[in-house]
Amino acid sequence: MSEDEEYPERGYNTEDVEAVRSAPAPKKSFVRRHWGKLLVAALVAVPAIVVTLWTAIALSVAYSSGERVGYIQKFSEKGWICKTYEGEIAMVNLPGQIANVFEFSVRDDSIAALINSAQGKRVALSYEQHKGVPTSCFGETEYFVKGVRVLGS
């Protein structure tokens, strides 16, 4: 018998073992290793994206727009974190008639300054109504004033 025939082949040798040890480990897929982190990120990110899109659409699309005429009855800046201007205008059509009150919000500082300077005068407020704004951070009412005109002298 020759040396090759005397010992049966074992299927691997020292060189094979060293090759396996020095070979790079198989890469695990990113999703398989981090599925828990991805799930938590999705549970946080998806609602945040939905609310952001909902807010952007609600603030960019006006349900209605118009003009209200009357006297500024109340106007102040409100909010703990999100500061907005909130006000009321008393609308009187005929002398002796009970005034209707129209509540509104102002997000622009320059318009708020115009309203402050026009208090006590008859004014026309141009507004847009935005329905479905998800938080009161943009204003307590759904009526946002876009312009102010002082009427008469």
Side-chain angles (χ1 to χ4, degrees), residues 90-144:
M91 300 178 298
V92 179
N93 294 332
L94 299 171
Q97 184 181 18
I98 297 176
N100 290 330
V101 175
F102 175 70
E103 295 180 346
F104 60 89
S105 300
V106 178
R107 295 178 54 206
D108 190 358
D109 289 335
S110 62
I111 292 177
L114 290 172
I115 291 173
N116 270 328
S117 67
Q119 286 197 26
K121 301 174 186 167
R122 192 163 186 241
V123 295
L125 299 179
S126 301
Y127 70 90
E128 288 183 347
Q129 182 181 9
H130 295 274
K131 287 188 168 270
V133 178
T135 97
S136 64
C137 196
F138 300 101
E140 291 181 4
T141 70
E142 55 187 34
Y143 300 99
F144 296 95

Side-chain angles (χ1 to χ4, degrees), residues 27 31 88 109:
K27 290 189 173 188
V31 174
E88 292 179 356
D109 289 335

Side-chain angles (χ1 to χ4, degrees), residues 54-121:
W54 178 15
T55 303
I57 291 168
L59 288 174
S60 65
V61 177
Y63 176 74
S64 71
S65 61
E67 198 168 77
R68 299 285 174 112
V69 177
Y71 295 91
I72 302 295
Q73 183 171 311
K74 182 169 91 171
F75 191 68
S76 61
E77 185 177 24
K78 291 184 177 181
W80 293 102
I81 296 172
C82 304
K83 300 285 187 180
T84 59
Y85 295 93
E86 306 297 326
E88 292 179 356
I89 186 170
M91 300 178 298
V92 179
N93 294 332
L94 299 171
Q97 184 181 18
I98 297 176
N100 290 330
V101 175
F102 175 70
E103 295 180 346
F104 60 89
S105 300
V106 178
R107 295 178 54 206
D108 190 358
D109 289 335
S110 62
I111 292 177
L114 290 172
I115 291 173
N116 270 328
S117 67
Q119 286 197 26
K121 301 174 186 167

